[in-house]
Amino acid sequence: MYHRLPLHLERTRSPEKRADVEREATKFHPEGVKMIADLIRINRSYRRFHQDKKVTMETLEKLVDLARHSACGANLQSLKYILSCEASTNELIFKRLGWAAYLKDWKGPAEGEKPAAYIVLLGDTKIHTNFFCDHGIACQSMLLGAVE
């Protein structure tokens, strides 16, 4: 059975409040297991990373496995993934990305703050031409797995 967190612990971007939410969550889950609602509450948009912290291919594969087990339209599994944890490939991917469209003067993370790995999500049009919201579900599953 899942217990809701008190309403006064509403979503906030403050690191102090995030720590409060995490502490409060352990009251309901003393063994330290995070429930889906807890993961959603502590998750944030990330625009700067620790480029020097290596991410293994095994970690990327585990995240894709979460996406693979997520719901998808007609169970067609029409999403495909390109995984990269190599600096040279990461740089090629980085050059093709757009960052924070509302921040017009920001070109993205500086050197040292770029992602150390990427999961590029693609839709296989040979399987289906409409991906509905499959990509959103897959990305959310991977993101929550990474936050965990």
Side-chain angles (χ1 to χ4, degrees), residues 22-93:
E22 289 177 352
R23 274 193 298 281
E24 192 69 20
T26 60
K27 289 180 187 176
F28 296 113
H29 315 292
E31 56 285 335
V33 175
K34 290 194 192 296
M35 302 298 286
I36 188 75
D38 301 328
L39 291 174
I40 291 169
R41 283 186 184 95
I42 64 173
N43 180 50
R44 296 290 174 259
S45 293
Y46 301 97
R47 294 189 184 99
R48 290 186 173 89
F49 307 87
H50 297 283
Q51 193 170 348
D52 59 329
K53 304 259 185 194
K54 300 299 178 201
V55 178
T56 66
M57 187 60 71
E58 178 185 11
T59 298
L60 297 177
E61 289 169 350
K62 286 179 181 179
L63 293 172
V64 169
D65 200 47
L66 292 174
R68 191 177 64 80
H69 284 91
S70 298
C72 68
N75 199 30
L76 291 174
Q77 300 290 323
S78 57
L79 300 177
K80 305 298 179 206
Y81 306 88
I82 297 173
L83 310 179
S84 173
C85 55
E86 297 295 324
S88 58
T89 307
N90 289 351
E91 190 57 34
L92 293 172
I93 295 169

Side-chain angles (χ1 to χ4, degrees), residues 103-122:
L103 303 175
K104 301 290 184 203
D105 295 333
W106 192 58
K107 301 294 184 207
E111 195 60 40
E113 297 179 334
K114 296 177 181 179
Y118 289 94
I119 298 175
V120 179
L121 184 108
L122 306 164

